[in-house]
Amino acid sequence: TSTAGEVAVSAEQKVYNVVLKQAALVKQQPRSLDKPDTVIPGSVLKEAYDRCGEVCAEYAKTFYLGTLLMTPERRRAIWAIYVWCRRTDELVDGPNASQITPTALDRWESRLDDVFAGRPYDMLDAALSDTVSKYPPFRDMIEGMRMDLKKSRYKNFDELYLYCYYVAGTVGLMSVPVMGIAPESKATTESVYGAALALGLANQLTNILRDVGEDARRGRIYLPQDELAQAGLSDEDIFGGKVTEKWRSFMKNQIKRARMFFQQAEAGVTELNRASRWPVWASLQLYRQILDEIEANDYNNFTKRAYVSKAKKLLALPVAYGKSLI
């Protein structure tokens, strides 16, 4: 076996072990979100969740639209998780990223310990602290931020897979206890978590393909170096930003892989609690459309941002609703 093959087994096995662990946790801590929780209108906690919703609406419009289809309890929990993920991501990708050190990430992780212990530092922490008191906490995302500090290139897809798990697969795993698994589901808990992982990976790969030009302007290339070389492309081609036949061919393969993960995710959506299926289907459909837009832009993700129009988003909602009933 090649070194790349060995890394692949190692990376996927490591992630699979986390899937098993999270599945075991949710079995031990069952909780239903079908009854209203105790967030009181006018309370500080209500304000905290509302602020999380505002942040989500501002920075993740497509994702936010999907959350509006959720029950209020699920919506608030997902907003709190999203905001923590975004704040963590801002440490390495935000305006002060150049000043962030591994020590700063250690301090951020200590702050997360306080959140888990019910000692929030600010309003946004308070929303997350309330959420993680109800569900198994999760913290691997910070490891992805550490990776971002050290790496701006990925030798092969095996390395990229692990990065995508840390920064987005984790979000899928964190969301399963919030969404809930249907009581009548015959699927194993592990398979539902595996599908949630696949959706997180698909979303992150889509982000990467959409943002090639933006990342290149920051000196970063989140594409497998060996696959670029096989396509006859180099870092200089990425920084040059020219759409060539080689680039189109390369992008077609990358989009095919992202769609494969979306397809793997579909099996898990049908096993979710009935109240969660429509928003998750909507989120999956809406995000997958970004890949269609990259194709519509003739694979120019250097200077054109793949954008799904409001009309297309609205048209996707009844289709997602139909799927949720099957």
Side-chain angles (χ1 to χ4, degrees):
T1 22
S2 65
T3 305
E6 289 167 5
V7 174
V9 172
S10 172
E12 291 184 16
Q13 187 61 51
K14 180 175 182 179
V15 174
Y16 182 64
N17 288 341
V18 176
V19 168
L20 294 178
K21 182 179 177 183
Q22 289 302 111
L25 279 173
V26 81
K27 286 176 184 174
Q28 294 167 15
Q29 302 179 30
R31 172 183 153 80
S32 172
L33 277 183
D34 295 319
K35 296 178 181 178
D37 59 21
T38 55
V39 176
I40 303 167
S43 68
V44 174
L45 190 56
K46 169 74 163 52
E47 290 178 26
Y49 277 118
D50 287 347
R51 179 59 190 141
C52 288
E54 291 168 5
V55 173
C56 187
E58 183 177 355
Y59 292 103
K61 293 178 176 60
T62 299
F63 179 73
Y64 178 75
L65 180 60
T67 67
L68 294 181
L69 304 176
M70 298 175 185
T71 60
E73 295 76 25
R74 289 183 171 88
R75 183 187 310 154
R76 283 193 290 264
I78 291 296
W79 285 346
I81 291 170
Y82 168 81
V83 168
W84 178 72
C85 294
R86 177 164 186 84
R87 292 169 90 192
T88 305
D89 186 58
E90 281 288 301
L91 291 177
V92 293
D93 281 337
N96 299 318
S98 60
Q99 302 169 34
I100 298 300
T101 64
T103 303
L105 284 176
D106 288 341
R107 287 199 296 271
W108 185 251
E109 190 165 13
S110 295
R111 178 166 168 170
L112 187 60
D113 287 333
D114 288 337
V115 168
F116 289 159
R119 298 189 296 269
Y121 181 80
D122 60 17
M123 178 181 282
L124 298 178
D125 284 358
L128 180 64
S129 186
D130 181 62
T131 294
V132 299
S133 71
K134 303 165 186 173
Y135 315 107
F138 205 76
R139 59 197 308 146
D140 268 6
M141 177 169 282
I142 291 177
E143 192 57 39
M145 302 305 107
R146 294 188 202 282
M147 195 177 286
D148 251 344
L149 287 180
K150 297 181 287 187
K151 293 173 73 72
S152 60
R153 302 289 187 279
Y154 293 83
K155 288 189 301 183
N156 47 48
F157 182 67
D158 307 316
E159 287 191 358
L160 190 62
Y161 176 94
L162 197 57
Y163 171 75
C164 289
Y165 157 70
Y166 280 132
V167 299
T170 51
V171 180
L173 298 183
M174 281 190 283
S175 301
V176 174
V178 180
M179 296 297 102
I181 299 173
E184 69 274 14
S185 172
K186 300 293 191 293
T188 64
T189 308
E190 291 81 4
S191 70
V192 177
Y193 267 92
L197 169 67
L199 183 55
L201 295 173
N203 287 346
Q204 184 60 23
L205 289 171
T206 300
N207 284 342
I208 287 169
L209 298 180
R210 180 194 61 196
D211 298 340
V212 167
E214 293 176 27
D215 290 331
R217 287 187 282 279
R218 294 185 294 129
R220 293 183 178 179
I221 298 176
Y222 294 95
L223 298 168
Q225 293 283 303
D226 60 344
E227 293 177 26
L228 281 171
Q230 288 165 15
L233 297 165
S234 65
D235 288 1
E236 287 65 35
D237 293 304
I238 308 299
F239 294 133
K242 282 190 177 182
V243 179
T244 62
E245 282 308 311
K246 287 181 180 179
W247 177 250
R248 291 187 184 95
S249 177
F250 173 79
M251 280 300 302
K252 286 175 184 176
N253 287 329
Q254 302 304 307
I255 289 173
K256 181 179 179 181
R257 174 186 281 144
R259 283 180 173 146
M260 178 195 73
F261 281 109
F262 276 121
Q263 190 172 358
Q264 290 176 9
E266 288 186 2
V269 184
T270 58
E271 306 301 334
L272 294 177
N273 189 291
R274 192 173 296 276
S276 300
R277 289 176 203 160
W278 185 20
V280 177
W281 267 121
S283 177
L284 188 155
Q285 296 283 94
L286 291 168
Y287 231 83
R288 184 157 50 187
Q289 285 184 352
I290 294 173
L291 299 173
D292 301 336
E293 296 302 316
I294 294 174
E295 292 173 331
N297 288 341
D298 192 28
Y299 305 98
N300 181 4
N301 42 4
F302 298 116
T303 58
K304 290 184 179 180
R305 184 178 176 85
Y307 173 75
V308 181
S309 68
K310 285 185 179 178
K312 287 183 178 179
K313 287 179 181 178
L314 291 174
L315 285 171
L317 297 183
V319 174
Y321 183 70
K323 286 179 174 289
S324 74
L325 299 178
I326 300 172

